[in-house]
Amino acid sequence: MITNFQLLIESIGDAIFFLDQDGYIQSVNPATTTLTGYSEQELLNQPLYKLYTTAESSIKASYEIATAHKQGKFIAEGWKLRKDGSQFWAELTLYPVKRGTETIGFTCLLRNVSERKKTELDLRQSEERYRLMVESVKDYAIFMLNPTGHIMSWNEGAKRLKGYHPSEIIGKHFSIFYTAEDLETEKPKRELEIAIASGKYEEEGW
């Protein structure tokens, strides 16, 4: 007899399978076979590390299962392996299954997050290209402030034009560049508020 819980598991789009105490697969939902490329029969009674990519896969899987047993949950991201040898970036979550106080197995949720990982890598590469570009500029002082106006980065142009070494200026408030008259009228604070409110502030002056 198929229970409502079984029907729910089978309808979920993420891979869900059950492991015994030793980490061997005992049942899988259809999404598991779709994601991994293995049939249900090819996965049954196979170790969790069948889906892992590294040479230390059995050690890694044993550690993750032991951590889930000890802490009640384990979550990690990493490369996983399909039957055809292709890899996908996955979020793995393990929960112990209890009978009373005894752990009788584990529920494993495997979610393909390759697109999210690709987006993160693309963003990281874009930020790195921007950082390298900014750092190489020598004719303009370009530096980043946090929301309170404290200096977070310092390029070569800022070092040349303003005379401060990064170790001397990073962490200081940008009001250090203003005249005594500007400080008395709280001009740095006002400019920062305008920039936050409108998305931009610009002017010329000493």
Side-chain angles (χ1 to χ4, degrees):
M1 178 179 179
I2 299 177
T3 65
N4 290 335
F5 179 71
Q6 286 175 303
L7 290 173
L8 174 64
I9 293 299
E10 291 181 359
S11 66
I12 290 177
D14 295 320
I16 297 179
F17 45 97
F18 295 94
L19 311 172
D20 64 15
Q21 292 172 300
D22 299 318
Y24 285 76
I25 299 170
Q26 299 302 299
S27 65
V28 302
N29 72 338
T32 303
T33 61
T34 301
L35 178 60
T36 66
Y38 289 101
S39 68
E40 181 178 0
Q41 292 304 313
E42 288 175 316
L43 288 172
L44 292 181
N45 297 314
Q46 294 298 310
L48 174 62
Y49 60 80
K50 182 180 181 72
L51 304 175
Y52 287 36
T53 61
T54 63
E56 316 76 40
S57 57
S58 61
I59 299 173
K60 187 172 186 290
S62 296
Y63 165 78
E64 293 173 350
I65 290 170
T67 303
H69 173 70
K70 181 178 180 180
Q71 300 183 357
K73 185 179 182 180
F74 178 84
I75 302 178
E77 290 189 9
W79 293 109
K80 295 295 180 286
L81 195 64
R82 295 188 179 92
K83 180 181 178 179
D84 63 8
S86 63
Q87 298 182 15
F88 61 99
W89 190 262
E91 180 185 83
L92 172 77
T93 307
L94 289 169
Y95 298 95
V97 177
K98 299 282 189 177
R99 180 183 292 153
T101 59
E102 179 187 5
T103 298
I104 60 173
F106 299 88
T107 300
C108 181
L109 171 65
L110 195 63
R111 177 175 291 134
N112 186 354
V113 291
S114 297
E115 285 302 314
R116 189 187 75 195
K117 185 65 176 178
K118 182 178 183 301
T119 300
E120 289 176 356
L121 290 174
D122 289 345
L123 179 60
R124 189 177 302 166
Q125 290 174 353
S126 177
E127 290 175 342
E128 179 64 12
R129 286 195 295 269
Y130 176 77
R131 183 186 66 80
L132 292 173
M133 179 189 72
V134 168
E135 288 183 354
S136 66
V137 173
K138 296 181 179 180
D139 296 328
Y140 298 91
I142 303 174
F143 50 95
M144 182 177 292
L145 309 177
N146 69 8
T148 61
H150 291 83
I151 298 165
M152 304 299 292
S153 68
W154 195 249
N155 78 330
E156 186 63 29
K159 178 182 174 182
R160 188 173 70 86
L161 293 173
K162 292 187 173 294
Y164 291 97
H165 189 274
S167 61
E168 296 177 295
I169 197 66
I170 289 178
K172 300 288 182 65
H173 197 271
F174 84 114
S175 59
I176 194 173
F177 306 132
Y178 288 72
T179 64
E181 292 79 4
D182 288 339
L183 295 177
E184 287 179 6
T185 60
E186 295 189 328
K187 185 178 181 183
K189 179 183 177 182
R190 188 169 63 255
E191 292 178 350
L192 199 62
E193 290 173 347
I194 294 172
I196 291 173
S198 65
K200 182 179 181 181
Y201 180 86
E202 61 180 317
E203 72 160 23
E204 293 184 6
W206 293 108

